[in-house]
Amino acid sequence: MTRIENHPILGKLGSKKAVTFTFDNQAIRGFENEPIAAALLANGIRTLRNHEETAKPRGIYCNIGHCFECRVTVNGIQGKRACLTPIKEGMVVQSGKQLASPVRDWSANHV
């Protein structure tokens, strides 16, 4: 895990409670109440989902909740923004996957 241990404004990291959660069935360590995206980035994970149609990797973009690029599934609830959702012990996080595109298949039959 790569972290800034002593930040000039936020202070020392050592006083925060370490927690474990899973991301795509992989155990990840982070600090309680830090955003999921921050913990994943600190653990070297940059791809949070794949685009629903193209399957291109997507990750943190704005990091303030505006762009929705960091959508993940948290404890079975889809569409949670990883940049705004705080980590809790035992949380289960799943990345977004490519979806079937029935609209594209439908339009191909009406050329």
Side-chain angles (χ1 to χ4, degrees):
M1 186 166 27
T2 303
R3 299 270 186 180
I4 296 172
E5 298 289 330
N6 189 10
H7 191 276
I9 296 172
L10 302 175
K12 294 185 179 185
L13 192 59
S15 61
K16 304 212 181 230
K17 179 182 175 188
V19 295
T20 301
F21 66 102
T22 62
F23 179 71
D24 288 345
N25 302 317
Q26 175 186 353
I28 304 288
R29 290 188 53 89
F31 293 102
E32 189 171 50
N33 293 322
E34 78 173 329
I36 293 168
L40 293 174
L41 188 60
N43 284 277
I45 297 171
R46 300 177 63 96
T47 300
L48 303 183
R49 67 182 183 93
N50 291 86
H51 189 271
E52 292 83 357
E53 281 190 31
T54 65
K56 290 184 179 177
R58 313 302 286 185
I60 302 168
Y61 184 68
C62 75
N63 207 28
I64 56 174
H66 287 271
C67 72
F68 289 77
E69 288 295 322
C70 63
R71 294 185 312 268
V72 292
T73 300
V74 176
N75 294 334
I77 301 172
Q78 294 179 329
K80 301 294 279 185
R81 290 172 283 180
C83 68
L84 297 179
T85 305
I87 300 171
K88 301 293 181 201
E89 178 71 39
M91 183 179 271
V92 177
V93 181
Q94 296 288 321
S95 63
K97 306 290 185 221
Q98 183 179 17
L99 301 174
S101 181
V103 173
R104 181 171 285 172
D105 294 337
W106 174 83
S107 63
N109 296 329
H110 297 280
V111 176

XYZ file of all heavy atoms in Angstrom:
855
model
N 0.857 -1.172 0.000
C 0.000 0.000 0.000
C 0.901 1.232 0.000
O 1.804 1.347 0.798
C -0.912 -0.055 1.230
C -1.919 1.015 1.254
S -3.337 0.876 2.422
C -2.811 -0.091 3.766
N 0.677 2.172 -0.935
C 1.452 3.397 -1.038
C 0.623 4.558 -0.496
O -0.494 4.780 -0.955
C 1.817 3.669 -2.506
O 2.522 2.548 -3.002
C 2.658 4.905 -2.633
N 1.159 5.261 0.478
C 0.416 6.347 1.117
C 1.343 7.499 1.466
O 2.526 7.304 1.692
C -0.189 5.860 2.446
C -1.145 4.745 2.341
C -2.489 5.298 2.160
N -3.441 4.186 2.191
C -4.716 4.367 2.059
N -5.189 5.565 1.928
N -5.521 3.340 2.060
N 0.772 8.704 1.556
C 1.463 9.833 2.155
C 1.248 9.684 3.657
O 0.112 9.725 4.137
C 0.889 11.169 1.639
C 1.129 11.287 0.139
C 1.502 12.334 2.402
C 0.432 12.480 -0.501
N 2.306 9.459 4.409
C 2.193 9.167 5.837
C 1.996 10.419 6.698
O 1.400 10.357 7.758
C 3.437 8.402 6.310
C 3.629 7.053 5.634
C 2.600 6.026 6.078
O 2.124 6.114 7.227
O 2.276 5.131 5.270
N 2.537 11.546 6.247
C 2.445 12.772 7.034
C 2.143 13.930 6.092
O 3.033 14.464 5.449
C 3.750 13.013 7.805
C 3.620 14.143 8.792
O 2.525 14.644 9.051
N 4.741 14.555 9.362
N 0.872 14.320 6.037
C 0.431 15.370 5.128
C 0.455 16.717 5.862
O 0.033 16.794 7.016
C -0.992 15.056 4.641
C -1.443 15.917 3.528
N -1.989 17.167 3.726
C -1.430 15.722 2.186
C -2.299 17.708 2.571
N -1.963 16.843 1.610
N 0.940 17.802 5.213
C 1.036 19.093 5.915
C -0.308 19.668 6.353
O -0.373 20.428 7.320
C 1.719 20.000 4.887
C 1.601 19.302 3.584
C 1.443 17.844 3.864
N -1.398 19.322 5.710
C -2.721 19.847 6.084
C -3.564 18.794 6.795
O -4.195 19.056 7.813
C -3.469 20.367 4.832
C -2.709 21.549 4.231
C -4.904 20.765 5.184
C -3.228 22.038 2.909
N -3.568 17.558 6.291
C -4.419 16.503 6.846
C -3.825 15.828 8.072
O -4.516 15.117 8.784
C -4.718 15.462 5.765
C -5.408 16.008 4.507
C -5.549 14.921 3.465
C -6.755 16.617 4.857
N -2.540 16.013 8.318
C -1.909 15.438 9.500
C -1.320 14.068 9.250
O -1.147 13.642 8.112
N -1.043 13.342 10.354
C -0.430 12.022 10.268
C -1.484 10.955 10.029
O -2.570 11.013 10.585
C 0.360 11.723 11.537
C 1.550 12.616 11.704
C 2.372 12.231 12.897
C 3.575 13.179 12.965
N 4.496 12.814 14.010
N -1.094 9.973 9.252
C -1.998 8.903 8.879
C -2.117 7.848 9.977
O -3.124 7.177 10.069
C -1.489 8.244 7.585
C -2.398 7.294 6.872
C -3.697 7.965 6.473
C -1.704 6.753 5.632
N -1.129 7.722 10.832
C -1.060 6.648 11.813
C -2.228 6.535 12.758
O -2.479 5.467 13.313
N -3.000 7.576 12.967
C -4.086 7.523 13.940
C -5.383 6.954 13.374
O -6.360 6.797 14.098
C -4.355 8.929 14.487
O -4.752 9.781 13.432
N -5.430 6.631 12.085
C -6.652 6.125 11.461
C -6.770 4.607 11.642
O -5.777 3.891 11.633
C -6.662 6.477 9.988
C -6.499 7.972 9.757
C -7.223 8.407 8.569
C -6.986 9.904 8.410
N -8.129 10.644 8.227
N -7.999 4.117 11.771
C -8.266 2.691 11.988
C -8.208 1.934 10.656
O -8.927 2.273 9.709
C -9.642 2.510 12.614
C -10.007 1.066 12.862
C -11.407 0.956 13.444
C -11.806 -0.507 13.567
N -13.199 -0.646 13.954
N -7.360 0.916 10.586
C -7.254 0.088 9.377
C -8.440 -0.871 9.308
O -8.879 -1.406 10.332
C -5.951 -0.687 9.385
N -8.993 -1.051 8.098
C -10.109 -1.981 7.865
C -9.796 -2.800 6.614
O -8.948 -2.432 5.809
C -11.457 -1.253 7.689
C -11.859 -0.541 8.961
C -11.416 -0.296 6.533
N -10.501 -3.906 6.469
C -10.353 -4.753 5.290
C -11.704 -4.856 4.593
O -12.731 -5.014 5.249
C -9.870 -6.160 5.689
O -8.614 -6.029 6.366
C -9.678 -7.045 4.471
N -11.692 -4.738 3.269
C -12.883 -4.920 2.454
C -12.464 -5.727 1.233
O -11.277 -6.012 1.047
C -13.515 -3.576 2.072
C -12.684 -2.723 1.166
C -12.974 -2.638 -0.190
C -11.603 -2.000 1.638
C -12.220 -1.841 -1.036
C -10.832 -1.210 0.803
C -11.135 -1.128 -0.536
N -13.424 -6.122 0.399
C -13.051 -6.859 -0.803
C -13.428 -6.055 -2.040
O -14.440 -5.353 -2.057
C -13.722 -8.242 -0.879
O -15.135 -8.079 -0.921
C -13.326 -9.116 0.292
N -12.594 -6.177 -3.059
C -12.871 -5.593 -4.375
C -12.693 -6.716 -5.379
O -11.589 -7.248 -5.523
C -11.912 -4.441 -4.673
C -12.138 -3.816 -6.028
C -13.269 -3.048 -6.266
C -11.239 -4.016 -7.059
C -13.488 -2.480 -7.504
C -11.444 -3.444 -8.303
C -12.572 -2.678 -8.527
N -13.771 -7.097 -6.044
C -13.758 -8.231 -6.976
C -13.129 -9.465 -6.323
O -12.245 -10.112 -6.888
C -13.024 -7.859 -8.275
C -13.849 -6.908 -9.122
O -15.064 -6.763 -8.862
O -13.281 -6.314 -10.052
N -13.568 -9.732 -5.099
C -13.163 -10.907 -4.312
C -11.706 -10.875 -3.856
O -11.183 -11.884 -3.389
C -13.441 -12.204 -5.079
C -14.905 -12.335 -5.439
O -15.780 -12.058 -4.618
N -15.180 -12.728 -6.667
N -11.028 -9.739 -3.969
C -9.651 -9.582 -3.508
C -9.672 -8.756 -2.220
O -10.286 -7.687 -2.174
C -8.830 -8.864 -4.587
C -7.418 -8.541 -4.184
C -6.700 -7.699 -5.245
O -7.209 -7.465 -6.330
N -5.509 -7.254 -4.913
N -9.020 -9.248 -1.170
C -8.971 -8.514 0.092
C -8.096 -7.269 -0.062
O -6.980 -7.341 -0.564
C -8.432 -9.402 1.202
N -8.646 -6.119 0.374
C -7.967 -4.830 0.265
C -7.962 -4.181 1.646
O -8.966 -4.209 2.347
C -8.704 -3.892 -0.726
C -8.864 -4.533 -2.102
C -8.021 -2.526 -0.807
C -7.600 -4.648 -2.896
N -6.847 -3.571 2.004
C -6.770 -2.850 3.277
C -6.863 -1.354 3.009
O -6.294 -0.843 2.049
C -5.486 -3.178 4.020
C -5.503 -4.617 4.538
C -4.347 -4.921 5.440
N -4.183 -3.994 6.540
C -4.759 -4.114 7.735
N -5.559 -5.123 7.967
N -4.523 -3.246 8.680
N -7.593 -0.679 3.843
C -7.718 0.770 3.754
C -7.941 1.324 5.141
O -7.724 0.625 6.135
N -8.377 2.561 5.204
C -8.649 3.185 6.489
C -10.129 3.533 6.578
O -10.724 4.014 5.610
C -7.793 4.440 6.661
C -6.335 4.119 6.778
C -5.495 4.300 5.698
C -5.820 3.592 7.946
C -4.154 3.970 5.787
C -4.486 3.255 8.049
C -3.644 3.446 6.965
N -10.713 3.240 7.722
C -12.136 3.446 7.929
C -12.553 4.857 7.527
O -11.904 5.831 7.906
C -12.498 3.189 9.397
C -13.991 3.164 9.635
C -14.314 2.697 11.040
O -13.719 3.231 11.994
O -15.126 1.782 11.168
N -13.609 4.945 6.760
C -14.236 6.192 6.304
C -13.475 6.927 5.206
O -13.876 8.018 4.824
C -14.533 7.138 7.468
C -15.602 6.576 8.366
O -16.555 5.963 7.885
N -15.430 6.745 9.656
N -12.381 6.379 4.709
C -11.775 7.018 3.546
C -12.550 6.539 2.319
O -13.186 5.487 2.342
C -10.284 6.684 3.414
C -9.978 5.322 2.850
C -8.497 5.112 2.588
O -7.807 6.093 2.276
O -8.050 3.969 2.713
N -12.564 7.299 1.231
C -13.294 6.869 0.042
C -12.746 5.559 -0.527
O -11.539 5.306 -0.485
C -13.068 8.016 -0.942
C -12.707 9.185 -0.099
C -11.965 8.621 1.089
N -13.652 4.752 -1.066
C -13.248 3.494 -1.684
C -12.184 3.755 -2.751
O -11.180 3.042 -2.823
C -14.466 2.800 -2.328
C -15.457 2.360 -1.260
C -14.045 1.623 -3.192
C -16.810 1.922 -1.823
N -12.391 4.784 -3.569
C -11.448 5.082 -4.654
C -10.049 5.349 -4.121
O -9.063 4.908 -4.719
C -11.949 6.271 -5.466
N -9.926 6.059 -3.013
C -8.613 6.365 -2.444
C -7.913 5.090 -1.983
O -6.711 4.910 -2.214
C -8.754 7.340 -1.284
N -8.654 4.198 -1.341
C -8.049 2.945 -0.870
C -7.617 2.070 -2.039
O -6.548 1.462 -2.002
C -9.031 2.195 0.020
N -8.454 2.023 -3.084
C -8.088 1.206 -4.245
C -6.859 1.787 -4.936
O -5.943 1.039 -5.304
C -9.265 1.110 -5.219
C -10.472 0.327 -4.699
C -11.626 0.415 -5.692
C -10.109 -1.130 -4.425
N -6.801 3.079 -5.084
C -5.648 3.712 -5.715
C -4.381 3.466 -4.890
O -3.326 3.164 -5.448
C -5.891 5.215 -5.881
C -4.860 5.983 -6.684
C -4.758 5.443 -8.109
C -5.228 7.458 -6.724
N -4.492 3.554 -3.568
C -3.343 3.302 -2.692
C -2.850 1.863 -2.799
O -1.694 1.570 -2.515
C -3.698 3.620 -1.248
N -3.744 0.961 -3.230
C -3.381 -0.448 -3.397
C -3.067 -0.785 -4.851
O -3.047 -1.961 -5.226
C -4.499 -1.342 -2.868
C -4.509 -1.399 -1.361
O -3.770 -2.157 -0.762
N -5.312 -0.548 -0.718
N -2.883 0.228 -5.681
C -2.460 0.016 -7.062
C -3.575 -0.330 -8.032
O -3.303 -0.742 -9.157
N -4.821 -0.184 -7.625
C -5.964 -0.507 -8.495
C -6.490 0.786 -9.107
O -6.956 1.668 -8.392
C -7.069 -1.234 -7.707
C -6.518 -2.558 -7.194
C -8.320 -1.445 -8.577
C -7.429 -3.276 -6.229
N -6.396 0.894 -10.425
C -6.800 2.125 -11.118
C -8.075 1.924 -11.946
O -8.754 2.880 -12.268
C -5.672 2.604 -12.013
C -4.401 2.916 -11.229
C -3.273 3.311 -12.151
N -3.580 4.513 -12.876
C -3.210 5.729 -12.520
N -2.480 5.878 -11.445
N -3.525 6.774 -13.237
N -8.386 0.692 -12.313
C -9.598 0.413 -13.085
C -10.711 0.023 -12.125
O -10.615 -0.988 -11.430
C -9.357 -0.705 -14.109
O -8.326 -0.292 -15.005
C -10.629 -1.020 -14.891
N -11.776 0.840 -12.087
C -12.893 0.588 -11.171
C -14.065 -0.078 -11.866
O -14.924 -0.663 -11.222
C -13.347 1.898 -10.533
C -12.261 2.664 -9.781
C -12.850 3.906 -9.134
C -11.586 1.794 -8.757
N -14.118 0.053 -13.184
C -15.186 -0.589 -13.944
C -14.766 -0.612 -15.398
O -13.766 -0.014 -15.782
C -16.514 0.150 -13.779
C -16.518 1.541 -14.407
C -17.854 2.243 -14.178
N -17.865 3.527 -14.835
C -18.327 3.735 -16.065
N -18.841 2.740 -16.740
N -18.296 4.930 -16.623
N -15.574 -1.307 -16.200
C -15.403 -1.297 -17.642
C -16.640 -0.662 -18.254
O -17.755 -0.867 -17.758
C -15.200 -2.721 -18.169
C -13.863 -3.259 -17.717
O -13.756 -3.802 -16.630
N -12.850 -3.069 -18.513
N -16.440 0.095 -19.321
C -17.551 0.771 -19.967
C -18.614 -0.249 -20.357
O -18.284 -1.338 -20.843
C -17.063 1.542 -21.201
C -18.114 2.424 -21.777
N -19.015 1.993 -22.726
C -18.446 3.713 -21.502
C -19.830 2.971 -23.035
N -19.508 4.040 -22.308
N -19.875 0.110 -20.168
C -20.975 -0.832 -20.369
C -21.050 -1.357 -21.802
O -21.429 -2.503 -22.011
C -22.307 -0.163 -20.004
C -22.460 0.143 -18.534
C -21.803 1.456 -18.114
O -21.160 2.117 -18.962
O -21.906 1.816 -16.936
N -20.724 -0.559 -22.796
C -20.805 -1.015 -24.187
C -19.452 -1.429 -24.750
O -19.333 -2.465 -25.373
C -21.384 0.094 -25.067
C -22.878 0.209 -24.956
C -23.449 1.148 -26.011
O -22.877 1.232 -27.110
O -24.438 1.778 -25.723
N -18.420 -0.610 -24.532
C -17.139 -0.863 -25.192
C -16.190 -1.717 -24.367
O -15.196 -2.209 -24.893
C -16.431 0.466 -25.499
O -16.109 1.112 -24.247
C -17.313 1.369 -26.352
N -16.433 -1.851 -23.075
C -15.591 -2.588 -22.135
C -14.240 -1.921 -21.907
O -13.340 -2.524 -21.317
C -15.414 -4.038 -22.557
N -14.097 -0.663 -22.326
C -12.841 0.043 -22.061
C -12.743 0.339 -20.571
O -13.741 0.659 -19.925
C -12.781 1.346 -22.856
C -12.613 1.105 -24.345
C -12.468 2.408 -25.081
C -12.266 2.108 -26.571
N -12.191 3.337 -27.361
N -11.532 0.238 -19.998
C -11.378 0.465 -18.559
C -11.682 1.909 -18.169
O -11.334 2.841 -18.884
C -9.910 0.120 -18.297
C -9.240 0.169 -19.606
C -10.283 -0.088 -20.658
N -12.351 2.071 -17.031
C -12.696 3.388 -16.506
C -12.185 3.472 -15.070
O -12.147 2.476 -14.347
C -14.212 3.612 -16.510
C -14.910 3.237 -17.788
C -14.400 3.962 -18.970
N -14.859 5.328 -18.969
C -14.626 6.174 -19.963
N -13.942 5.789 -21.009
N -15.065 7.400 -19.891
N -11.810 4.665 -14.646
C -11.296 4.828 -13.290
C -11.677 6.177 -12.717
O -12.645 6.796 -13.151
N -10.905 6.633 -11.778
C -11.169 7.920 -11.142
C -10.922 9.016 -12.166
O -9.890 9.045 -12.824
C -10.240 8.119 -9.928
C -10.443 6.991 -8.932
C -10.482 9.470 -9.293
C -9.373 6.951 -7.864
N -11.878 9.949 -12.296
C -11.696 11.069 -13.212
C -11.781 12.391 -12.444
O -10.787 13.065 -12.276
C -12.733 11.001 -14.335
C -12.556 12.070 -15.374
C -11.454 12.071 -16.211
C -13.487 13.082 -15.514
C -11.270 13.062 -17.160
C -13.323 14.073 -16.462
C -12.218 14.057 -17.279
O -12.053 15.040 -18.216
N -12.953 12.761 -11.948
C -13.076 14.058 -11.265
C -12.775 13.924 -9.774
O -12.315 14.866 -9.149
C -14.453 14.655 -11.488
S -15.779 13.876 -10.548
N -13.070 12.791 -9.183
C -12.853 12.500 -7.760
C -13.649 13.408 -6.828
O -13.284 13.582 -5.660
C -11.364 12.537 -7.421
C -11.037 11.666 -6.238
O -11.725 10.679 -5.971
N -10.001 12.019 -5.503
N -14.730 14.008 -7.325
C -15.608 14.815 -6.467
C -17.079 14.480 -6.691
O -17.955 15.222 -6.294
C -15.371 16.335 -6.663
C -15.538 16.724 -8.133
C -14.018 16.741 -6.113
C -15.464 18.229 -8.376
N -17.364 13.368 -7.375
C -18.729 12.905 -7.508
C -19.518 13.434 -8.676
O -20.709 13.153 -8.797
N -18.913 14.203 -9.564
C -19.657 14.785 -10.676
C -19.723 13.884 -11.905
O -20.724 13.865 -12.605
C -19.053 16.139 -11.085
C -19.341 17.220 -10.111
N -20.452 18.014 -10.178
C -18.659 17.624 -9.019
C -20.444 18.865 -9.165
N -19.362 18.641 -8.446
N -18.673 13.162 -12.203
C -18.580 12.486 -13.505
C -19.169 11.070 -13.515
O -19.446 10.544 -14.575
C -17.134 12.440 -13.973
S -16.070 11.298 -13.064
N -19.323 10.431 -12.395
C -19.862 9.069 -12.286
C -18.994 8.025 -12.986
O -19.447 6.931 -13.274
C -21.295 8.993 -12.825
C -22.303 9.672 -11.950
C -22.420 11.053 -11.935
C -23.126 8.938 -11.126
C -23.350 11.696 -11.122
C -24.061 9.564 -10.309
C -24.171 10.951 -10.318
N -17.747 8.324 -13.283
C -16.863 7.348 -13.918
C -16.435 6.247 -12.951
O -16.004 5.186 -13.376
C -15.628 8.036 -14.503
C -15.912 8.850 -15.734
C -16.371 7.990 -16.900
O -15.852 6.880 -17.075
O -17.264 8.433 -17.634
N -16.532 6.479 -11.669
C -16.044 5.520 -10.678
C -17.163 4.659 -10.087
O -17.005 4.115 -9.001
C -15.298 6.260 -9.573
S -16.327 7.405 -8.624
N -18.261 4.482 -10.823
C -19.387 3.692 -10.308
C -18.974 2.248 -10.034
O -18.364 1.603 -10.886
C -20.544 3.701 -11.285
C -21.182 5.050 -11.472
C -22.401 4.974 -12.375
N -22.199 4.231 -13.597
C -21.815 4.768 -14.741
N -21.570 6.054 -14.807
N -21.669 4.033 -15.816
N -19.348 1.760 -8.855
C -19.104 0.375 -8.465
C -20.354 -0.154 -7.766
O -21.280 0.600 -7.467
C -17.881 0.256 -7.513
C -16.588 0.591 -8.237
C -18.054 1.132 -6.281
N -20.369 -1.436 -7.501
C -21.449 -2.046 -6.724
C -20.935 -2.266 -5.311
O -19.883 -2.877 -5.121
C -21.881 -3.378 -7.362
O -22.345 -3.117 -8.691
C -22.983 -4.037 -6.567
N -21.663 -1.733 -4.321
C -21.246 -1.837 -2.920
C -22.317 -2.587 -2.149
O -23.474 -2.160 -2.108
C -21.027 -0.441 -2.296
C -20.682 -0.553 -0.823
C -19.955 0.322 -3.059
N -21.935 -3.726 -1.590
C -22.869 -4.569 -0.828
C -24.160 -4.820 -1.605
O -25.262 -4.736 -1.063
C -23.171 -3.949 0.543
C -21.951 -3.913 1.432
O -21.031 -4.716 1.288
N -21.928 -2.974 2.359
N -24.005 -5.060 -2.921
C -25.139 -5.392 -3.776
C -25.889 -4.199 -4.356
O -26.829 -4.375 -5.118
N -25.506 -2.991 -4.010
C -26.182 -1.792 -4.525
C -25.346 -1.211 -5.666
O -24.206 -0.776 -5.447
C -26.389 -0.740 -3.417
C -27.218 -1.340 -2.284
C -27.049 0.511 -3.978
C -27.318 -0.471 -1.058
N -25.911 -1.202 -6.878
C -25.192 -0.718 -8.051
C -25.153 0.806 -8.086
O -25.989 1.479 -7.503
C -25.877 -1.215 -9.326
C -25.818 -2.706 -9.493
C -26.529 -3.135 -10.772
O -27.480 -2.510 -11.207
N -26.038 -4.229 -11.364
N -24.162 1.319 -8.827
C -24.098 2.749 -9.103
C -23.553 3.622 -7.982
O -23.745 4.829 -7.992
N -22.882 3.042 -7.018
C -22.293 3.843 -5.940
C -21.001 4.469 -6.451
O -20.176 3.808 -7.083
C -22.000 2.978 -4.711
C -23.227 2.280 -4.134
C -24.216 3.227 -3.558
C -23.802 3.646 -2.170
N -24.850 4.492 -1.527
N -20.804 5.746 -6.184
C -19.592 6.429 -6.612
C -18.466 6.138 -5.622
O -18.558 6.501 -4.450
C -19.851 7.924 -6.742
C -20.755 8.240 -7.934
C -21.171 9.658 -7.961
N -22.231 9.821 -6.957
C -22.851 10.957 -6.704
N -22.531 12.048 -7.356
N -23.793 11.019 -5.797
N -17.415 5.505 -6.111
C -16.303 5.099 -5.248
C -15.584 6.295 -4.643
O -15.021 6.195 -3.553
C -15.318 4.239 -6.035
N -15.638 7.440 -5.316
C -14.934 8.621 -4.795
C -15.662 9.259 -3.615
O -15.071 10.057 -2.885
C -14.708 9.641 -5.907
S -16.220 10.423 -6.527
N -16.938 8.925 -3.415
C -17.722 9.531 -2.335
C -18.149 8.541 -1.261
O -18.682 8.943 -0.226
C -18.985 10.190 -2.903
C -18.792 11.338 -3.874
C -20.151 11.861 -4.357
C -17.990 12.461 -3.240
N -17.959 7.250 -1.499
C -18.463 6.234 -0.575
C -17.375 5.829 0.417
O -16.322 5.331 0.016
C -18.949 5.000 -1.360
O -19.911 5.422 -2.334
C -19.568 3.979 -0.439
N -17.609 6.047 1.712
C -16.598 5.693 2.710
C -16.526 4.184 2.964
O -17.538 3.494 2.929
C -17.062 6.435 3.971
C -18.512 6.673 3.775
C -18.765 6.723 2.302
N -15.330 3.720 3.225
C -15.094 2.290 3.494
C -15.561 1.931 4.898
O -15.365 2.685 5.842
C -13.594 1.962 3.428
C -13.022 2.262 2.072
C -13.331 0.507 3.782
C -11.520 2.141 2.070
N -16.142 0.733 4.983
C -16.491 0.131 6.276
C -15.887 -1.269 6.303
O -15.713 -1.909 5.261
C -18.018 0.027 6.441
C -18.736 1.351 6.361
C -18.397 2.248 7.514
C -19.152 3.558 7.401
N -18.559 4.628 8.151
N -15.605 -1.774 7.481
C -15.045 -3.111 7.642
C -15.964 -4.144 7.003
O -17.186 -4.107 7.206
C -14.860 -3.432 9.132
C -14.329 -4.818 9.413
C -12.876 -4.995 9.016
O -12.088 -4.060 9.213
O -12.537 -6.078 8.495
N -15.395 -5.037 6.208
C -16.152 -6.135 5.603
C -16.971 -5.765 4.385
O -17.697 -6.605 3.847
N -16.883 -4.545 3.916
C -17.640 -4.086 2.748
C -17.259 -4.921 1.530
O -16.107 -5.301 1.357
C -17.326 -2.610 2.515
C -18.064 -1.948 1.408
S -17.574 -0.193 1.312
C -18.765 0.500 2.438
N -18.262 -5.222 0.689
C -18.029 -5.996 -0.533
C -18.238 -5.060 -1.725
O -19.334 -4.537 -1.926
C -18.987 -7.202 -0.624
C -18.784 -7.947 -1.934
C -18.783 -8.119 0.575
N -17.180 -4.849 -2.488
C -17.207 -3.931 -3.633
C -16.912 -4.734 -4.895
O -15.973 -5.539 -4.918
C -16.164 -2.804 -3.463
C -16.214 -1.836 -4.638
C -16.360 -2.073 -2.142
N -17.742 -4.513 -5.912
C -17.556 -5.177 -7.207
C -17.408 -4.122 -8.292
O -18.109 -3.109 -8.285
C -18.763 -6.071 -7.537
C -18.970 -7.221 -6.580
C -17.915 -8.302 -6.755
O -17.509 -8.609 -7.855
N -17.461 -8.843 -5.640
N -16.509 -4.364 -9.239
C -16.344 -3.439 -10.351
C -17.506 -3.590 -11.326
O -18.200 -4.602 -11.324
C -15.027 -3.708 -11.071
O -15.037 -5.006 -11.634
N -17.706 -2.566 -12.162
C -18.732 -2.639 -13.192
C -18.208 -3.402 -14.391
O -17.031 -3.332 -14.724
N -19.075 -4.142 -15.027
C -18.690 -4.977 -16.167
C -19.417 -4.522 -17.422
O -20.413 -3.813 -17.356
C -19.044 -6.447 -15.897
C -18.483 -7.001 -14.608
C -16.996 -7.167 -14.656
C -16.504 -7.846 -13.388
N -15.305 -7.300 -12.863
N -18.939 -4.997 -18.556
C -19.597 -4.722 -19.827
C -20.969 -5.387 -19.826
O -21.137 -6.512 -19.361
C -18.768 -5.255 -20.990
C -19.364 -4.922 -22.337
C -18.517 -5.445 -23.494
O -17.668 -6.295 -23.313
N -18.757 -4.925 -24.676
N -21.967 -4.682 -20.347
C -23.328 -5.196 -20.403
C -23.713 -5.535 -21.834
O -23.160 -4.989 -22.782
C -24.301 -4.143 -19.857
C -24.067 -3.674 -18.430
C -25.021 -2.540 -18.095
C -24.222 -4.822 -17.453
N -24.690 -6.395 -21.966
C -25.257 -6.650 -23.290
C -25.931 -5.368 -23.762
O -26.423 -4.590 -22.966
C -26.271 -7.779 -23.203
N -25.954 -5.140 -25.045
C -26.523 -3.905 -25.581
C -27.696 -4.249 -26.494
O -27.567 -4.256 -27.715
C -25.455 -3.120 -26.337
O -26.006 -1.928 -26.824
N -28.892 -4.524 -25.936
C -30.026 -4.925 -26.764
C -30.458 -3.845 -27.743
O -30.967 -4.156 -28.804
C -31.129 -5.214 -25.747
C -30.715 -4.524 -24.506
C -29.226 -4.458 -24.531
N -30.245 -2.569 -27.458
C -30.617 -1.500 -28.382
C -29.790 -1.613 -29.651
O -30.295 -1.515 -30.755
C -30.441 -0.116 -27.726
C -30.663 0.987 -28.737
C -31.380 0.027 -26.548
N -28.504 -1.865 -29.492
C -27.637 -1.986 -30.658
C -28.068 -3.197 -31.495
O -28.144 -3.101 -32.713
C -26.183 -2.135 -30.222
C -25.238 -2.244 -31.414
C -23.816 -2.170 -31.004
N -23.559 -0.771 -30.703
C -22.465 -0.307 -30.157
N -21.508 -1.122 -29.826
N -22.315 0.968 -29.925
N -28.386 -4.322 -30.856
C -28.828 -5.504 -31.593
C -30.162 -5.228 -32.301
O -30.367 -5.642 -33.429
C -28.999 -6.690 -30.638
C -27.679 -7.123 -30.065
O -26.638 -6.843 -30.685
O -27.704 -7.733 -28.990
N -31.056 -4.522 -31.661
C -32.356 -4.203 -32.233
C -32.197 -3.314 -33.460
O -32.808 -3.546 -34.496
C -33.216 -3.516 -31.173
C -34.515 -3.025 -31.690
C -35.646 -3.763 -31.851
C -34.825 -1.718 -32.137
N -36.646 -2.988 -32.354
C -36.165 -1.724 -32.550
C -34.112 -0.548 -32.226
C -36.793 -0.590 -33.045
C -34.733 0.578 -32.721
C -36.065 0.542 -33.123
N -31.370 -2.279 -33.374
C -31.227 -1.343 -34.485
C -30.568 -2.005 -35.699
O -30.820 -1.593 -36.832
C -30.422 -0.118 -34.050
O -29.109 -0.497 -33.695
N -29.743 -3.026 -35.473
C -29.094 -3.715 -36.587
C -30.127 -4.405 -37.485
O -29.896 -4.603 -38.672
C -28.092 -4.732 -36.066
N -31.298 -4.763 -36.937
C -32.343 -5.437 -37.705
C -33.241 -4.466 -38.466
O -34.127 -4.884 -39.201
C -33.212 -6.289 -36.767
C -32.406 -7.404 -36.147
O -31.467 -7.915 -36.754
N -32.749 -7.767 -34.929
N -33.051 -3.149 -38.286
C -33.920 -2.157 -38.907
C -33.137 -1.177 -39.773
O -33.364 0.008 -39.734
C -34.698 -1.399 -37.831
C -35.604 -2.300 -37.063
N -36.825 -2.686 -37.563
C -35.453 -2.925 -35.885
C -37.395 -3.504 -36.682
N -36.588 -3.666 -35.664
N -32.208 -1.686 -40.557
C -31.406 -0.823 -41.433
C -32.143 -0.531 -42.712
O -32.868 -1.269 -43.263
C -30.039 -1.480 -41.741
C -29.248 -0.634 -42.716
C -29.290 -1.684 -40.462
